């Protein structure tokens, strides 16, 4: 398949690209587009054949539902009802990195929701995404624009790497501001429950409704009979090609342990990468060091996380040793993604 690539540098001057991409969506095709969380791979959410193309391009399991992207806070045509708390969350956090799960109307096809009665919906904040949805005049179903199982792409180059020749159109824009996927809140239950942590933190959500909690299974290694409520959370996700190990513990001990491990692997002929905080990065003696950001700025760490994992693949490291970050605020999302990438392999220093 031929893929057209167009980069939007100036919204005003390059608006024709967005219109062109929107026409592809209208005609049942597939379009990669930027959002503030990660890049998405979209098609008309209400067109079964168009949605099937997404699963095919990504190699995505059929039982993993897609999120609908809308350009308006009025979602009454898509869902049975919007409970009070869901409406409050929408008013406070849309447009932005928050997906709300509600019971769907029949207009949303079963392929889109992977046969679930519910559907996830979000209104992204980026101008390109919003214009694309507006011009397409339909909600756009979009998972992250990566081959299934790989870390989500936060810039257009990574989308081209994964999906060139597999989609109709790649619309590029800025790097994703947030860097990890949206927070998912299931509002089909009362009180609502967080199925995937993201940049809208549990603290942010509790300010709207104090009863909202994180899904208890979220930070633990899933057992073999574990059935997460967000089907996608059970797959080995966010995984670079290299093996990932997390080291946690106090600062001095962590540095010492990581230096020890790096030395061990290198002396056994392995190529080693270290995912480090800015504060500790100068203390590592060997290996390829990538700085994620300061421990005092976890937004920066989230912003760089997936890109760093992918860039280690570029240089072909065999093992990635990552510092643990504090599980607070957006740190919960960072550690959720890191733990998945590591297959829950965490070493106490
Ligand atoms: O930030 C994001 O949400 C990005 C950008 C592109 O918007 N999208 C994204 O989509 O991360 P994806 O497909 O990679 O992840 C969607 C997650 C999966 O874990 C899926 O199982 C869950 O959302 N999900 C979707 N609909 C659901 C539903 N009705 N009930 C429970 N989980 C649902
Ligand atoms: Mg994904």
């Amino acid at each position: 398949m031929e893929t057209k690539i167009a980069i939007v540098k100036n919204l005003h001057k390059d608006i024709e690209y967005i219109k062109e991409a929107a026409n592809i969506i209208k005609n049942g095709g597939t379009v990669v587009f930027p959002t503030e969380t990660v890049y998405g791979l979209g098609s008309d959410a209400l067109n079964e054949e168009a949605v099937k193309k997404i699963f095919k391009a990504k190699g995505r399991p059929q039982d993993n539902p897609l999120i609908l992207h809308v350009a308006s806070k009025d979602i009454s045509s898509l869902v049975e009802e919007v409970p009070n708390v869901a409406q409050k969350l929408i008013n406070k956090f849309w447009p932005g990195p928050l997906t709300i799960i509600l019971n769907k109307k029949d207009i949303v096809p079963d392929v889109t929701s992977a046969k679930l009665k519910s559907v996830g919906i979000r209104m992204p904040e980026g101008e390109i995404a919003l214009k694309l949805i507006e011009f397409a005049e339909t909600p756009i179903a979009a998972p992250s624009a990566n081959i299934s199982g790989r870390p989500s792409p936060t810039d257009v180059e990574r989308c081209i790497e994964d999906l060139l020749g597999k989609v109709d159109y790649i619309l590029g824009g800025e790097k994703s501001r947030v860097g990890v996927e949206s927070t998912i809140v299931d509002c089909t239950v009362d009180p609502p429950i967080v199925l995937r942590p993201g940049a809208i933190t549990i603290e942010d959500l509790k300010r709207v409704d104090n009863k909202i909690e994180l899904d208890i299974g979220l930070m633990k290694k899933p057992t073999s009979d574990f059935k997460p409520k967000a089907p996608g959370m059970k797959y080995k996700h966010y995984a670079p090609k290299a093996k990932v190990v997390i080291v946690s513990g106090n600062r001095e001990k962590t540095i010492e342990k990581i230096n020890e491990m790096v030395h061990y692997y290198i002396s056994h002929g392995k190529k080693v990468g270290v995912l480090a905080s800015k504060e500790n990065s100068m203390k590592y003696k060997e290996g390829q060091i990538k700085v994620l950001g300061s421990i005092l700025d976890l937004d920066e760490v989230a912003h760089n996380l997936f890109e760093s994992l992918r860039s280690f693949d570029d240089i072909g490291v065999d093992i990635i040793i990552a510092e643990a970050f504090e599980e607070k605020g957006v740190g919960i999302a960072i550690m959720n993604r890191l733990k998945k990438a590591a297959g829950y392999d965490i070493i106490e220093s």
Side-chain angles (χ1 to χ4, degrees), residues 38 58 60 64 143-146 150 152 181 196 237-238:
V38 299
K58 282 193 60 136
R60 181 178 176 103
N64 194 0
S144 47
N146 51 286
R150 300 213 62 203
S152 300
E181 305 88 345
R196 181 174 72 182
H237 242 82
Y238 317 114

Side-chain angles (χ1 to χ4, degrees), residues 300-348:
E300 185 190 10
V301 174
H303 176 78
N304 291 321
L305 180 64
F306 286 146
E307 179 51 30
S308 301
L309 286 172
R310 291 187 74 131
S311 64
F312 272 139
D313 277 347
D314 297 342
I315 50 179
V317 303
D318 302 295
I319 177 155
I320 298 168
I321 303 173
E323 283 176 27
F325 288 84
E326 193 182 1
E327 287 182 28
K328 218 180 95 190
V330 70
I332 294 181
I334 293 166
M335 287 307 290
N336 170 265
R337 305 310 192 275
L338 259 184
K339 283 179 186 175
K340 281 172 171 293
Y344 297 85
D345 195 354
I346 306 173
I347 293 172
E348 278 295 325

Side-chain angles (χ1 to χ4, degrees), residues 66-171:
L66 305 178
I67 292 171
L68 265 56
H69 295 65
V70 296
S72 149
K73 293 187 188 183
D74 178 8
I75 51 171
S76 52
S77 65
L78 302 170
V79 297
E80 286 295 338
E81 98 177 289
V82 182
N84 220 336
V85 55
Q87 192 59 55
K88 281 195 205 157
L89 293 171
I90 288 170
N91 293 346
K92 176 132 181 93
F93 297 111
W94 282 10
L98 180 71
T99 295
I100 306 271
I101 306 229
L102 291 167
N103 288 319
K104 74 178 186 74
K105 280 192 172 152
D106 288 342
I107 185 177
V108 180
D110 279 347
V111 257
T112 309
S113 68
K115 299 203 176 115
L116 294 177
K117 284 202 203 100
S118 61
V119 63
I121 306 181
R122 85 176 190 99
M123 180 177 177
E125 78 185 14
E127 285 288 355
I128 300 176
L130 289 173
K131 283 271 176 281
L132 179 70
I133 302 161
E134 268 168 33
F135 291 148
E137 296 175 295
T138 183
I140 297 181
S144 47
N146 51 286
I147 297 288
S148 230
R150 300 213 62 203
S152 300
T154 54
D155 73 20
V156 69
E157 292 302 321
R158 296 298 182 189
C159 302
I160 295 171
E161 205 176 281
D162 277 15
L163 294 173
L164 188 70
K166 296 186 172 140
V167 299
D168 294 304
Y169 206 102
I170 296 181
L171 191 62

